Amino acid sequence: MNNQIEETNHYVQSLLLNERTGHDWYHIERVTKLATYIAEREGADLFIVKMAALLHDLADDKVAYDEETGLKQVVDWLTSQNVSADEQQKILSIITTISFKGGNGSPVESLEAKVVQDADRLDALGAIGIARTFVYAGAKGDPMYDPTIDVRDEMTKEEYRHGKSSAIHHFYEKLLKLRGRMNTKTGKQLAEERHAQLEQFLETFFQEWNVKF
Ligand code: ADP
Ligand code: NI
């Protein structure tokens, strides 16, 4: 079993080491560590949680050619590692349901899915979350801020991915909402400090943007 995790670790690392969209290997490594920490406190199945955390971004349409191709790659990998059909089904259902997608994803069900989703969301908060947002916006060609763009509250997945936006807008459209959407007690606790970091950052950002002394 540990061997399957170890092998998956190497496999994902080799695939994502050069990813530049915020889904790089180090994101996966942090999410897997966070998920393991939460799983231990919440009594979730560690094998399922670690495997799902390691594989969670491979089917994302920002990483894979498309979601279907990405999922097939994950299934082929799990089969090659002799992961049982029952475990494969649990891992796949986590990967397919946790993405935020503008707030339109269906709610997660298993404890293991809740744990992995919390871990992924925590990595979008705090100092790391701030840094990832600016890297993502830069890669997409968005400005760091544009005061002429409205903040969108409700949006379709299409609008979320392709509408006009800025890094600062992303804080209001997604990041500040995550604290209220954490699933587990441990996840909620960890989100508090990271949420406060976002608010602190925004306060300073606008002070400096408006050149206030
Ligand atoms: P999604 O929420 O669509 O699944 P991810 O969470 O995979 O996107 O996004 C990867 C990182 O990039 C996260 O830190 C996320 O907050 C950030 N990000 C996603 N969309 C944007 C955007 N439009 N502008 C700035 N940052 C973004
Ligand atoms: Ni992720």
Side-chain angles (χ1 to χ4, degrees), residues 22-23 27-28 31 53 56-57 60 98 119-121 123 132:
H23 297 88
H27 163 64
I28 304 300
V31 170
H56 85 270
D57 268 340
D60 191 296
I98 64 168
D120 198 27
R121 286 175 166 172
D123 204 53
R132 290 179 74 213

Side-chain angles (χ1 to χ4, degrees), residues 82-90:
N82 300 317
V83 174
S84 74
D86 177 53
E87 287 169 331
Q88 285 199 27
Q89 191 273 325
K90 287 181 181 156

Side-chain angles (χ1 to χ4, degrees), residues 23 62 99-100 132-133 136 140 160-161 170 174-175:
H23 297 88
K62 290 192 245 63
S99 175
F100 180 81
R132 290 179 74 213
T133 300
Y136 187 103
K140 206 171 146 222
Y160 174 62
R161 286 284 161 77
H170 189 64
K174 172 180 166 186
L175 306 185

Side-chain angles (χ1 to χ4, degrees), residues 187-212:
K188 284 190 175 92
Q189 282 165 357
L190 294 172
E192 285 301 326
E193 173 63 26
R194 290 174 185 232
H195 182 91
Q197 294 283 342
L198 300 184
E199 291 192 320
Q200 177 65 54
F201 172 80
L202 286 170
E203 195 184 318
T204 312
F205 183 93
F206 282 110
Q207 243 171 25
E208 295 178 6
W209 182 272
N210 296 312
V211 196
K212 290 242 170 72

